[in-house]
């Protein structure tokens, strides 16, 4: 049981020199990639750049202890950084102590929620975020983030939480563009694009080994950082109006818990919940995808505990909310990470960078970090989800469109809430009108199929109706109306068989509807039968008034039901004097 909550006790026993070597190589590569990302995402969250480094140390150690994925790399990510800025920005002004304190408190609340959900095994909550909604939300968030970073590339202010607000602020500041900042931003942007798209090809032409080429490409953003820092020092860009990172505190922060303020906690509860669920969905999707490639097992509820511990550790270490990042996790996987220890080694690398490199970051142009963010988030933008949703399901397309539009126009929290609400409404609408088909026998077989799709044989006076949905309060009345209308439209009907092969559950409301259907049909001189009722459903029906008053039977199969009714109609067998239970699946 202890191993279930502390996976390190399991994989730690099997740790050896080979896995150590693999983890160290992966940690080195991820560390190189994570340093500029951490700095950039902290600025995106409205926090000092060093906070991104703080949020990349203890969370990695915590996940190595409690997490189950060998490849997941936890730390600051673009979407969660944007959501943090949105949530905290309503409570305090950016750059103030209260702003930083609220971000730390948000991480703690998110961590506690995730940990509690894991202990209570509530991982299924993430299922309420459908894939189309998540894709639409991430796409819209990527657009907002990239647009917001245009200010950093132009040397002007870009404020706002929605796309119209950001565009309006950019339009107001166009006359104040700093062309030195623009030059730095375009240089960094172009170089990052070239590194991502063409550098590996050139390295192959130079006969560089594949592994070394990967390391160089992954380290590309670090090279861009050093190049622009050199340009900043050489040309004294700070004196020419180029915004620089400025003095960065050297060393790691003192470990502490944030100050609890009831009003602040109350204001952050809903944002913390949304960040927790969105972060978990993003993280578990990445973890399961990578685990499948190695035939490894991911425990979703333990992942909740691992992410919860990571966020609590982020709060203790002066960071802000974190989750598993797609890009760095893929890099970790490709680099050969064998165990979660790779994350702990990465944390050591980030800690050393925080201790040794921060004095040099003062001359780093913020435009470089803005370019880093733009390149990172543009890979998140995927408009193909709209086309795919439109071609497959208009309802899913509507959910995606509302999510994207809501996020762009109203903000990230409202956008994701609208998406979830639309998905639930679509589900309720679909399930409230379950598909039902009149079925007949496929000639020469015991199979029964939809009369509108197949050439089948039917029996006069017998209505066989297949219900393709579990029965519950939302669709119970619909079933009543459906059966009544079908029988009323055909006066020759004397028997109705509800084929329940697709019915996995019947709640109290649906049971009362079945009783009402039974009474209505009895008043019309029609018998009601059931067929292919599943065992768990039959267990619930046993001993109910519905079965006690059922004038027909419960049959093991649809074929047996039809055969028995035909025999009775032809006089081959006597009509039972009392309800008879033949069999239950």
């Amino acid at each position: 049981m202890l191993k279930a909550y502390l996976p390190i006790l399991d994989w730690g026993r099997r740790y050896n020199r080979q896995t150590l070597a693999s983890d160290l190589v992966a940690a080195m590569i991820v560390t190189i990639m994570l340093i500029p990302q951490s700095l950039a995402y902290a600025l995106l969250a409205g926090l000092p750049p060093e906070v991104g480094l703080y949020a990349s140390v203890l969370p990695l150690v915590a996940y190595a202890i409690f997490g189950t994925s060998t490849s997941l790399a936890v730390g600051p990510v673009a979407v969660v950084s944007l959501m943090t800025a949105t949530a905290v920005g309503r409570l305090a002004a950016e750059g103030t102590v209260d702003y930083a304190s609220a971000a730390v408190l948000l991480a703690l609340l998110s961590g506690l929620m995730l940990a509690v959900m894991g202990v209570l095994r509530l991982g299924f909550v993430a299922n309420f975020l459908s894939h189309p909604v998540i894709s639409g939300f991430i796409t819209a968030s990527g657009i907002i983030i990239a647009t917001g970073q245009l200010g950093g590339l132009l040397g002007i202010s870009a404020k706002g939480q929605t796309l119209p607000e950001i565009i309006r602020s950019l339009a107001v500041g166009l006359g104040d563009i700093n062309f030195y900042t623009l030059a730095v931003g375009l240089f960094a942007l172009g170089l990052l694009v070239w590194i991502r798209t063409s550098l590996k090809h050139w390295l192959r032409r130079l006969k560089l080994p594949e592994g070394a080429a990967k390391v160089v490409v992954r380290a590309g953003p670090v090279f861009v950082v050093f190049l622009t820092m050199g340009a900043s020092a050489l040309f004294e860009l700070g004196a020419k109006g180029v915004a620089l990172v400025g003095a960065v505190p050297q060393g790691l922060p003192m470990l502490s818990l944030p100050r609890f303020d009831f009003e602040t906690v109350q204001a952050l509860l809903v944002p913390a919940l949304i960040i927790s669920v969105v972060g978990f969905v993003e993280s578990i999707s990445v973890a399961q995808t990578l685990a499948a490639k190695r035939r490894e097992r991911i425990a979703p509820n333990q992942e909740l505990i691992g992410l919860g511990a990571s966020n609590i550790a982020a709060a203790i270490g002066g960071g802000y909310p974190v989750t598993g990042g797609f890009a760095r996790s893929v890099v970790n996987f490709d680099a050969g990470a064998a165990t979660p220890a790779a994350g702990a080694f990465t944390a050591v690398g980030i800690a050393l960078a925080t201790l040794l490199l921060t004095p040099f970051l003062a001359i780093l142009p913020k435009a470089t970090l803005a370019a880093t963010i733009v390149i990172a988030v543009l890979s998140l933008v995927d408009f193909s989800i709209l086309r795919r949703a439109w071609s497959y399901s208009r309802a899913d397309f509507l959910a995606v469109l509302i999510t994207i539009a809501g996020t762009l126009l109203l903000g990230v929290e409202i956008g994701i809430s609208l998406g979830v609400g639309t998905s639930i409404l679509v589900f309720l609408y679909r399930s409230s009108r379950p598909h039902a088909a009149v079925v007949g026998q496929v000639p020469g077989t015991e199979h029964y199929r939809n009369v509108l799709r197949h050439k089948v044989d039917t029996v006069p006076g017998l209505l066989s109706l297949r219900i393709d949905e579990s029965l519950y309060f939302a669709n119970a009345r619909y079933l009543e109306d459906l059966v009544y209308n079908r029988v009323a439209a055909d006066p020759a009907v004397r028997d109705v068989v509800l084929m329940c092969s697709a019915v996995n559950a019947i709640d109290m409301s649906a049971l009362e509807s079945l009783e009402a259907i039974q009474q209505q049909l009895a008043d019309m001189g029609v018998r009601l039968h059931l067929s292919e009722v599943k065992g768990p459903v039959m267990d619930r029906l046993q001993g109910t008034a519905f079965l006690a008053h059922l004038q027909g039977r419960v049959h093991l199969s649809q074929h047996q039901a039809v055969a028995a009714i035909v025999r009775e109609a032809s006089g081959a067998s006597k009509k039972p004097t009392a309800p008879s239970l033949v069999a239950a699946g």
Side-chain angles (χ1 to χ4, degrees):
M1 184 174 179
L2 190 59
K3 289 179 182 178
Y5 288 102
L6 292 173
I8 190 175
L9 297 179
D10 182 27
W11 59 262
R13 292 188 308 159
R14 303 188 301 273
Y15 208 72
N16 53 43
R17 291 184 178 181
Q18 183 178 355
T19 52
L20 173 62
S22 298
D23 288 342
L24 285 174
V25 172
M28 179 186 69
I29 296 173
V30 175
T31 299
I32 293 172
M33 177 185 183
L34 193 53
I35 291 172
Q37 276 194 356
S38 299
L39 296 169
Y41 290 152
L43 291 179
L44 176 59
L47 295 163
E50 68 271 12
V51 175
L53 297 175
Y54 300 160
S56 302
V57 180
L58 289 182
L60 284 166
V61 176
Y63 185 82
I65 297 172
F66 295 96
T68 61
S69 172
T70 58
S71 304
L72 192 70
V74 174
V77 299
V79 174
V80 171
S81 297
L82 175 63
M83 297 176 75
T84 298
T86 301
V88 177
R90 291 196 297 261
L91 303 178
E94 186 176 322
T96 63
V97 174
D98 289 340
Y99 188 98
S101 298
V104 173
L105 181 57
L106 184 63
L108 181 61
L109 292 175
S110 178
L112 291 174
M113 288 179 179
L114 286 165
V116 170
M117 289 170 64
V119 172
L120 298 179
R121 308 185 69 81
L122 298 179
F124 68 89
V125 171
N127 297 335
F128 288 102
L129 288 178
S130 67
H131 176 71
V133 166
I134 283 292
S135 296
F137 173 70
I138 291 177
T139 292
S141 298
I143 294 172
I144 290 176
I145 292 170
T147 306
Q149 294 310 302
L150 292 179
L153 295 174
L154 298 173
I156 60 178
S157 175
K159 298 181 179 179
Q161 306 299 335
T162 66
L163 190 61
E165 291 175 351
I166 295 172
I167 292 176
R168 192 179 304 115
S169 68
L170 287 172
V172 170
L174 282 179
D176 299 323
I177 292 177
N178 183 292
F179 290 98
Y180 291 100
T181 300
L182 178 60
V184 173
L186 290 179
F187 170 77
L189 202 61
L191 191 53
L192 287 169
V193 170
W194 181 79
I195 289 171
R196 177 167 289 199
T197 59
S198 304
L199 179 58
K200 195 171 184 179
H201 170 71
W202 284 95
L203 293 174
R204 284 174 177 170
R205 291 182 62 180
L206 295 174
K207 308 298 185 182
L208 195 68
E210 184 72 17
K214 281 185 177 181
V215 173
V216 173
V217 172
R218 302 301 184 190
V222 176
F223 297 150
V224 176
V225 166
F226 285 132
L227 282 174
T228 53
M229 286 171 61
S232 175
L234 182 63
F235 299 108
E236 297 182 349
L237 295 178
K240 294 171 178 160
V242 177
L244 305 179
V245 169
V248 177
Q250 188 174 9
L252 296 171
M254 296 292 292
L255 303 184
S256 63
L257 285 172
R259 179 175 57 85
F260 279 85
D261 176 78
F262 179 76
E263 291 185 1
T264 305
V265 170
Q266 191 175 25
L268 291 177
L269 281 177
V270 173
L273 178 61
I274 295 175
I275 288 174
S276 299
V277 176
V278 171
F280 173 64
V281 171
E282 182 178 354
S283 179
I284 198 69
S285 299
V286 176
Q288 289 179 334
T289 299
L290 297 179
K293 294 182 179 181
R294 292 181 178 172
R295 297 192 177 185
E296 296 174 345
R297 178 179 173 273
I298 298 296
N301 289 308
Q302 182 59 33
E303 282 298 290
L304 281 168
I305 295 175
L307 290 175
S310 297
N311 277 278
I312 293 172
I316 293 174
Y320 69 101
V322 298
T323 191
F326 177 76
R328 71 176 69 104
S329 296
V330 171
V331 171
N332 202 30
F333 177 87
D334 290 340
T339 71
F345 295 141
T346 301
V348 174
I350 298 294
L352 290 175
T354 305
L355 292 170
L356 303 176
L357 299 181
T358 48
F360 304 100
L361 295 176
I363 58 173
L364 174 63
K366 289 186 177 180
T368 302
L369 298 180
T372 302
I373 294 173
V374 169
I375 294 300
V377 301
L378 284 182
S379 62
L380 303 177
V381 178
D382 178 20
F383 285 114
S384 68
I385 186 64
L386 287 169
R387 174 181 51 80
R388 288 183 281 121
W390 175 264
S391 62
Y392 185 77
S393 168
R394 298 295 191 272
D396 285 334
F397 172 81
L398 179 64
V400 175
L401 185 62
I402 288 176
T403 303
I404 292 177
T407 303
L408 292 177
L409 301 177
L410 302 174
V412 290
E413 291 177 5
I414 296 178
I416 192 67
S417 300
L418 286 174
V420 173
T422 302
S423 296
I424 293 175
L425 287 176
V426 168
F427 166 75
L428 291 175
Y429 176 77
R430 285 172 172 168
S431 62
S432 68
R433 302 174 60 84
H435 180 265
V438 177
V439 298
Q441 183 181 10
V442 178
T445 73
E446 295 185 1
H447 298 292
Y448 287 75
R449 296 292 185 268
N450 191 334
V451 298
L452 300 179
R453 295 178 179 270
H454 304 271
K455 292 182 179 180
V456 294
D457 297 330
T458 58
V459 177
L462 171 61
L463 173 64
S464 293
L465 198 62
R466 189 187 70 217
I467 310 300
D468 294 334
E469 183 70 65
S470 293
L471 301 177
Y472 72 117
F473 64 90
N475 60 25
R477 184 56 187 268
Y478 178 82
L479 179 63
E480 284 187 51
D481 295 339
L482 178 66
V483 173
Y484 180 83
N485 292 336
R486 288 280 186 178
V487 175
D490 186 359
V493 172
R494 289 293 175 265
D495 290 275
V496 173
V497 180
L498 295 183
M499 185 176 174
C500 302
S501 53
V503 177
N504 296 316
I506 297 176
D507 73 356
M508 282 287 293
S509 297
L511 178 61
E512 292 179 1
S513 289
L514 288 175
E515 294 172 348
I517 292 171
Q518 153 69 20
Q519 186 59 51
Q520 289 174 352
L521 293 181
D523 293 342
M524 300 168 69
V526 178
R527 295 187 302 169
L528 176 65
H529 307 260
L530 303 180
S531 73
E532 303 189 12
V533 181
K534 294 184 176 180
V537 177
M538 197 64 213
D539 292 342
R540 289 293 185 92
L541 294 179
Q542 292 282 13
T544 62
F546 168 67
L547 281 188
H549 296 95
L550 186 66
Q551 293 192 344
R553 302 181 184 181
V554 179
H555 299 269
L556 181 63
S557 70
Q558 180 68 18
H559 185 69
Q560 289 182 5
V562 173
I565 292 170
V566 169
R567 283 197 306 270
E568 292 175 2
S570 63
S573 62
K574 294 182 180 180
K575 184 176 180 180
T577 57
S580 174
L581 177 63
V582 175

Short mmCIF file of all heavy atoms in Angstrom, two decimals, residues 450-476:
data_model
loop_
_atom_site.label_atom_id
_atom_site.label_comp_id
_atom_site.label_asym_id
_atom_site.label_seq_id
_atom_site.Cartn_x
_atom_site.Cartn_y
_atom_site.Cartn_z
N ASN A 450 -32.08 -3.10 -37.27
CA ASN A 450 -32.96 -1.98 -37.58
C ASN A 450 -33.69 -2.22 -38.90
O ASN A 450 -33.06 -2.49 -39.93
CB ASN A 450 -32.12 -0.70 -37.66
CG ASN A 450 -32.96 0.55 -37.70
OD1 ASN A 450 -34.11 0.54 -38.13
ND2 ASN A 450 -32.38 1.66 -37.26
N VAL A 451 -35.03 -2.10 -38.89
CA VAL A 451 -35.82 -2.34 -40.10
C VAL A 451 -35.53 -1.31 -41.18
O VAL A 451 -35.79 -1.55 -42.37
CB VAL A 451 -37.32 -2.35 -39.77
CG1 VAL A 451 -37.67 -3.47 -38.80
CG2 VAL A 451 -37.77 -0.99 -39.23
N LEU A 452 -35.00 -0.15 -40.79
CA LEU A 452 -34.71 0.90 -41.77
C LEU A 452 -33.34 0.72 -42.42
O LEU A 452 -33.05 1.39 -43.42
CB LEU A 452 -34.77 2.28 -41.09
CG LEU A 452 -36.11 2.66 -40.45
CD1 LEU A 452 -36.01 4.03 -39.80
CD2 LEU A 452 -37.23 2.64 -41.49
N ARG A 453 -32.52 -0.15 -41.89
CA ARG A 453 -31.17 -0.33 -42.42
C ARG A 453 -30.94 -1.70 -43.05
O ARG A 453 -30.00 -1.88 -43.81
CB ARG A 453 -30.14 -0.13 -41.29
CG ARG A 453 -30.09 1.27 -40.72
CD ARG A 453 -29.08 1.36 -39.59
NE ARG A 453 -29.01 2.71 -39.03
CZ ARG A 453 -28.19 3.66 -39.46
NH1 ARG A 453 -27.37 3.40 -40.47
NH2 ARG A 453 -28.18 4.85 -38.91
N HIS A 454 -31.77 -2.67 -42.72
CA HIS A 454 -31.56 -4.04 -43.18
C HIS A 454 -32.86 -4.65 -43.69
O HIS A 454 -33.96 -4.21 -43.31
CB HIS A 454 -31.00 -4.92 -42.04
CG HIS A 454 -29.74 -4.38 -41.43
ND1 HIS A 454 -28.49 -4.70 -41.89
CD2 HIS A 454 -29.55 -3.54 -40.37
CE1 HIS A 454 -27.57 -4.09 -41.15
NE2 HIS A 454 -28.20 -3.38 -40.22
N LYS A 455 -32.71 -5.66 -44.54
CA LYS A 455 -33.86 -6.43 -44.98
C LYS A 455 -34.13 -7.50 -43.93
O LYS A 455 -33.37 -8.46 -43.79
CB LYS A 455 -33.57 -7.08 -46.34
CG LYS A 455 -33.44 -6.07 -47.48
CD LYS A 455 -33.20 -6.78 -48.81
CE LYS A 455 -33.10 -5.75 -49.94
NZ LYS A 455 -32.86 -6.42 -51.25
N VAL A 456 -35.21 -7.33 -43.20
CA VAL A 456 -35.50 -8.20 -42.06
C VAL A 456 -36.96 -8.66 -42.11
O VAL A 456 -37.78 -8.09 -42.83
CB VAL A 456 -35.23 -7.48 -40.73
CG1 VAL A 456 -33.75 -7.17 -40.57
CG2 VAL A 456 -36.04 -6.19 -40.64
N ASP A 457 -37.25 -9.68 -41.32
CA ASP A 457 -38.62 -10.19 -41.18
C ASP A 457 -39.23 -9.69 -39.88
O ASP A 457 -38.55 -9.67 -38.85
CB ASP A 457 -38.62 -11.73 -41.18
CG ASP A 457 -38.11 -12.31 -42.48
OD1 ASP A 457 -38.29 -11.64 -43.52
OD2 ASP A 457 -37.52 -13.41 -42.46
N THR A 458 -40.47 -9.26 -39.94
CA THR A 458 -41.19 -8.82 -38.74
C THR A 458 -42.43 -9.65 -38.54
O THR A 458 -42.92 -10.31 -39.46
CB THR A 458 -41.56 -7.33 -38.85
OG1 THR A 458 -42.38 -7.14 -40.01
CG2 THR A 458 -40.32 -6.45 -38.96
N VAL A 459 -42.96 -9.62 -37.32
CA VAL A 459 -44.15 -10.39 -36.97
C VAL A 459 -45.32 -9.43 -36.81
O VAL A 459 -45.23 -8.47 -36.03
CB VAL A 459 -43.92 -11.16 -35.65
CG1 VAL A 459 -45.19 -11.91 -35.25
CG2 VAL A 459 -42.75 -12.14 -35.81
N PRO A 460 -46.42 -9.65 -37.52
CA PRO A 460 -47.59 -8.78 -37.36
C PRO A 460 -48.09 -8.78 -35.91
O PRO A 460 -48.14 -9.83 -35.25
CB PRO A 460 -48.63 -9.43 -38.30
CG PRO A 460 -47.81 -10.18 -39.31
CD PRO A 460 -46.63 -10.69 -38.56
N GLY A 461 -48.43 -7.62 -35.41
CA GLY A 461 -48.94 -7.51 -34.04
C GLY A 461 -47.85 -7.45 -32.99
O GLY A 461 -48.16 -7.34 -31.80
N LEU A 462 -46.57 -7.53 -33.40
CA LEU A 462 -45.45 -7.49 -32.46
C LEU A 462 -44.55 -6.30 -32.78
O LEU A 462 -44.07 -6.16 -33.90
CB LEU A 462 -44.64 -8.78 -32.54
CG LEU A 462 -43.31 -8.81 -31.76
CD1 LEU A 462 -43.56 -8.60 -30.27
CD2 LEU A 462 -42.56 -10.11 -32.01
N LEU A 463 -44.34 -5.44 -31.79
CA LEU A 463 -43.43 -4.31 -31.93
C LEU A 463 -42.17 -4.60 -31.12
O LEU A 463 -42.21 -4.69 -29.89
CB LEU A 463 -44.09 -3.02 -31.41
CG LEU A 463 -43.19 -1.78 -31.35
CD1 LEU A 463 -42.72 -1.37 -32.74
CD2 LEU A 463 -43.91 -0.62 -30.66
N SER A 464 -41.04 -4.77 -31.82
CA SER A 464 -39.75 -5.00 -31.17
C SER A 464 -38.96 -3.70 -31.23
O SER A 464 -38.62 -3.22 -32.32
CB SER A 464 -38.97 -6.11 -31.87
OG SER A 464 -39.62 -7.35 -31.71
N LEU A 465 -38.66 -3.14 -30.06
CA LEU A 465 -38.02 -1.82 -29.99
C LEU A 465 -36.71 -1.95 -29.24
O LEU A 465 -36.68 -2.34 -28.07
CB LEU A 465 -38.95 -0.85 -29.27
CG LEU A 465 -38.68 0.65 -29.44
CD1 LEU A 465 -38.82 1.06 -30.90
CD2 LEU A 465 -39.65 1.46 -28.59
N ARG A 466 -35.60 -1.66 -29.93
CA ARG A 466 -34.28 -1.71 -29.30
C ARG A 466 -33.93 -0.34 -28.75
O ARG A 466 -33.93 0.65 -29.48
CB ARG A 466 -33.23 -2.15 -30.32
CG ARG A 466 -31.85 -2.44 -29.70
CD ARG A 466 -30.80 -2.70 -30.77
NE ARG A 466 -30.49 -1.47 -31.49
CZ ARG A 466 -30.22 -1.43 -32.80
NH1 ARG A 466 -30.28 -2.53 -33.53
NH2 ARG A 466 -29.94 -0.26 -33.38
N ILE A 467 -33.60 -0.26 -27.46
CA ILE A 467 -33.23 0.99 -26.80
C ILE A 467 -31.71 1.05 -26.72
O ILE A 467 -31.08 0.19 -26.10
CB ILE A 467 -33.84 1.08 -25.39
CG1 ILE A 467 -35.34 0.77 -25.43
CG2 ILE A 467 -33.58 2.45 -24.78
CD1 ILE A 467 -36.13 1.71 -26.30
N ASP A 468 -31.11 2.07 -27.32
CA ASP A 468 -29.65 2.15 -27.41
C ASP A 468 -29.05 3.14 -26.42
O ASP A 468 -28.13 3.90 -26.75
CB ASP A 468 -29.25 2.55 -28.84
CG ASP A 468 -29.60 1.47 -29.85
OD1 ASP A 468 -29.68 0.29 -29.44
OD2 ASP A 468 -29.80 1.80 -31.03
N GLU A 469 -29.53 3.16 -25.20
CA GLU A 469 -29.02 4.08 -24.19
C GLU A 469 -29.47 3.61 -22.82
O GLU A 469 -30.53 2.99 -22.68
CB GLU A 469 -29.56 5.49 -24.45
CG GLU A 469 -29.04 6.56 -23.51
CD GLU A 469 -27.58 6.87 -23.73
OE1 GLU A 469 -27.24 7.38 -24.81
OE2 GLU A 469 -26.80 6.60 -22.81
N SER A 470 -28.65 3.86 -21.81
CA SER A 470 -29.10 3.61 -20.44
C SER A 470 -30.28 4.51 -20.13
O SER A 470 -30.41 5.61 -20.70
CB SER A 470 -27.96 3.86 -19.45
OG SER A 470 -26.92 2.92 -19.63
N LEU A 471 -31.14 4.08 -19.25
CA LEU A 471 -32.37 4.82 -18.95
C LEU A 471 -32.22 5.54 -17.61
O LEU A 471 -31.90 4.92 -16.59
CB LEU A 471 -33.56 3.86 -18.90
CG LEU A 471 -33.80 3.06 -20.20
CD1 LEU A 471 -34.96 2.08 -20.03
CD2 LEU A 471 -34.07 4.01 -21.36
N TYR A 472 -32.43 6.85 -17.65
CA TYR A 472 -32.33 7.64 -16.41
C TYR A 472 -33.29 8.82 -16.52
O TYR A 472 -34.05 8.94 -17.50
CB TYR A 472 -30.89 8.08 -16.16
CG TYR A 472 -30.35 9.15 -17.08
CD1 TYR A 472 -29.97 10.39 -16.58
CD2 TYR A 472 -30.22 8.93 -18.45
CE1 TYR A 472 -29.46 11.38 -17.41
CE2 TYR A 472 -29.71 9.92 -19.29
CZ TYR A 472 -29.34 11.13 -18.76
OH TYR A 472 -28.85 12.10 -19.60
N PHE A 473 -33.27 9.69 -15.50
CA PHE A 473 -34.30 10.71 -15.37
C PHE A 473 -34.44 11.60 -16.60
O PHE A 473 -35.54 12.05 -16.92
CB PHE A 473 -34.01 11.57 -14.13
CG PHE A 473 -32.74 12.35 -14.20
CD1 PHE A 473 -32.71 13.63 -14.74
CD2 PHE A 473 -31.55 11.81 -13.73
CE1 PHE A 473 -31.53 14.35 -14.80
CE2 PHE A 473 -30.35 12.53 -13.80
CZ PHE A 473 -30.35 13.81 -14.34
N ALA A 474 -33.32 11.85 -17.32
CA ALA A 474 -33.37 12.79 -18.44
C ALA A 474 -34.07 12.22 -19.66
O ALA A 474 -34.60 12.98 -20.48
CB ALA A 474 -31.96 13.24 -18.81
N ASN A 475 -34.08 10.89 -19.82
CA ASN A 475 -34.72 10.33 -21.02
C ASN A 475 -35.91 9.43 -20.72
O ASN A 475 -36.48 8.81 -21.63
CB ASN A 475 -33.69 9.56 -21.86
CG ASN A 475 -33.05 8.41 -21.10
OD1 ASN A 475 -33.61 7.87 -20.17
ND2 ASN A 475 -31.85 8.03 -21.52
N ALA A 476 -36.28 9.35 -19.43
CA ALA A 476 -37.37 8.45 -19.05
C ALA A 476 -38.70 8.84 -19.71
O ALA A 476 -39.41 7.99 -20.27
CB ALA A 476 -37.52 8.43 -17.53
#
